[in-house]
């Protein structure tokens, strides 16, 4: 689900909480050592996201935030802020040679750290741990 949250309404906030759960409170964030990434450069994306990103010719960035039931991918284009909400049970993450590909329902996005850096592997391990603990047992 992709939402425009430039001016979030109460309905948008309810939808976000319903799909990816509430945000962690301050003490939980400190205990976890952070819940998000710094900015990441978007290399490629599927058509719905790509169409939003091509409205501007600038380099496009995003950030990732863990929630209790899913992942939030936030990005900004031409004075509008969008979030892509992915529940953990629909999330797939692949990391290869400094690039991370995130797959969700109907969409995917490939990101890398800006300026030839590397994506924080500690965050990836935390994300995969949260995904596995949120998955229903088989």
């Amino acid at each position: 689900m992709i939402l425009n949250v430039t001016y979030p309404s109460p309905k948008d906030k309810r939808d976000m909480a319903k799909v990816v759960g509430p945000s962690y409170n301050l003490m939980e964030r400190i205990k976890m050592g952070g819940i998000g990434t710094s900015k990441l450069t978007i290399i490629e994306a599927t058509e719905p996201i790509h169409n939003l990103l091509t409205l501007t010719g600038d380099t496009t960035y995003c950030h990732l935030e863990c929630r209790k039931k899913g992942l939030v991918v936030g990005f900004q284009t031409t004075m509008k802020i969008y979030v892509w909400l992915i529940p953990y049970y629909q999330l797939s993450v692949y990391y290869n040679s400094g690039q991370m590909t995130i797959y969700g329902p109907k969409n995917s996005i490939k990101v890398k750290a800006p300026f030839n850096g590397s994506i924080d592997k500690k965050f990836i391990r935390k994300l995969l741990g949260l995904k596995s603990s949120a998955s229903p047992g088989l």
Side-chain angles (χ1 to χ4, degrees), residues 22-117:
S23 183
Y24 291 102
N25 65 34
L26 180 61
M27 288 308 295
E28 290 172 322
R29 290 175 189 222
I30 292 170
K31 287 179 185 175
M32 294 173 71
I35 59 163
T37 64
S38 57
K39 70 179 180 179
L40 301 169
T41 304
I42 298 173
I43 301 170
E44 59 185 62
T46 53
E47 189 173 343
I49 296 172
H50 180 72
N51 290 342
L52 294 172
L53 295 173
T54 55
L55 297 174
T56 179
D58 297 337
T59 304
T60 51
Y61 297 102
C62 71
H63 67 279
L64 309 177
E65 177 189 339
C66 294
R67 292 281 185 107
K68 295 187 178 181
K69 296 182 345 186
L71 180 71
V72 176
V73 179
F75 54 94
Q76 180 176 352
T77 99
T78 62
M79 307 298 285
K80 293 183 182 176
I81 302 168
Y82 294 94
V83 291
W84 177 29
L85 309 174
I86 312 167
Y88 284 135
Y89 68 90
Q90 294 180 328
L91 174 68
S92 295
V93 177
Y94 296 98
Y95 180 78
N96 187 12
S97 64
Q99 297 179 354
M100 182 167 62
T101 306
I102 301 165
Y103 293 95
K106 302 179 186 175
N107 293 312
S108 69
I109 190 169
K110 185 183 284 190
V111 297
K112 70 174 186 146
F115 313 115
N116 296 326

